[in-house]
Amino acid sequence: ARLIQRIPFDPFHYLISPHLSCMATIDEKGYCSCGAIEFSCKGDVKFNALCHCKLCSRFAGVSPIHIVGVSPKATAFEITKGADKLKTFITPNGKFSIDSCSECSARLAQGPTGADFRAIFPVVFHIEQGERGCLLREDLKPKVHMNYENRLYDHADDLTKFKEFGSSPKMDNSGKIIE
């Protein structure tokens, strides 16, 4: 068994790295599963990643999750319909929040409470190709893995893998530090 060191959540740990995104800006619309909430997402893209951290994984029930970090927080996640249906969960330590629909429980955005960005889930963007398709455009596909030390299994892909969030050491597909 691998020994994983527990690191307390620290909002200053979420320093943004230029390695984490190739997009400059974003302007998307999205909605929850039931359509009760609609939102716009506009701003500077700070990261576009598959996150393996325990917090993200446990809240989502899956690992990794795909998130796009957008700032400033004021325009990153603006409700355009159904603000009364928005439910915000704040972790017991008050340092992290998750926005979801109170009707269908779809998760829409999350992030450290003190940061000037929101992490948006591209799966809720309005990207449709007919009745069944919703393939992400190339610019919206994840660019890196973050918190790869917490992965549930090895990922044999060509994406850069960071041990933690941001400019931490890089890892190979098996989790061995390479830088």
Side-chain angles (χ1 to χ4, degrees):
R2 286 185 318 164
L3 178 63
I4 298 176
Q5 178 184 3
R6 285 189 174 246
I7 300 171
F9 179 77
D10 173 5
F12 296 106
H13 180 68
Y14 278 75
L15 298 174
I16 307 305
S17 166
H19 306 293
L20 301 180
S21 171
C22 74
M23 297 172 64
T25 61
I26 191 167
D27 186 353
E28 295 289 337
K29 296 186 183 329
Y31 52 90
C32 66
S33 297
C34 71
I37 296 176
E38 295 179 8
F39 67 91
S40 67
C41 174
K42 296 178 186 175
D44 296 325
V45 174
K46 300 299 180 185
F47 57 87
N48 182 352
L50 296 172
C51 184
H52 297 264
C53 83
K54 290 180 182 180
L55 190 62
C56 287
S57 300
R58 289 180 176 158
F59 278 119
V62 64
S63 181
I65 66 163
H66 182 193
I67 51 178
V68 175
V70 181
S71 74
K73 193 175 190 176
T75 61
F77 182 64
E78 287 187 282
I79 303 298
T80 57
K81 173 187 163 192
D84 60 319
K85 303 293 184 190
L86 185 68
K87 177 175 73 173
T88 299
F89 171 78
I90 298 176
T91 57
N93 66 8
K95 294 182 178 180
F96 200 82
S97 67
I98 299 170
D99 299 314
S100 61
C101 175
S102 63
E103 296 292 314
C104 65
S105 299
R107 294 176 59 217
L108 305 169
Q110 67 180 35
T113 53
D116 189 35
F117 72 87
R118 291 303 282 164
I120 313 298
F121 305 101
V123 70
V124 295
F125 289 154
H126 184 75
I127 300 169
E128 308 294 328
Q129 294 98 21
E131 199 170 302
R132 294 189 183 175
C134 57
L135 287 173
L136 289 175
R137 297 184 318 265
E138 198 60 40
D139 64 327
L140 287 175
K141 291 180 182 177
K143 308 305 176 208
V144 299
H145 289 265
M146 298 184 309
N147 300 299
Y148 195 67
E149 68 179 346
N150 292 319
R151 70 198 179 286
L152 293 177
Y153 52 87
D154 295 338
H155 293 260
D157 58 37
D158 294 331
L159 298 178
T160 301
K161 293 158 180 72
F162 290 98
K163 180 179 178 184
E164 297 172 353
F165 190 97
S167 297
S168 65
K170 293 179 184 176
M171 302 179 98
D172 65 13
N173 289 341
S174 69
K176 186 165 81 175
I177 293 178
I178 55 176
E179 277 187 14

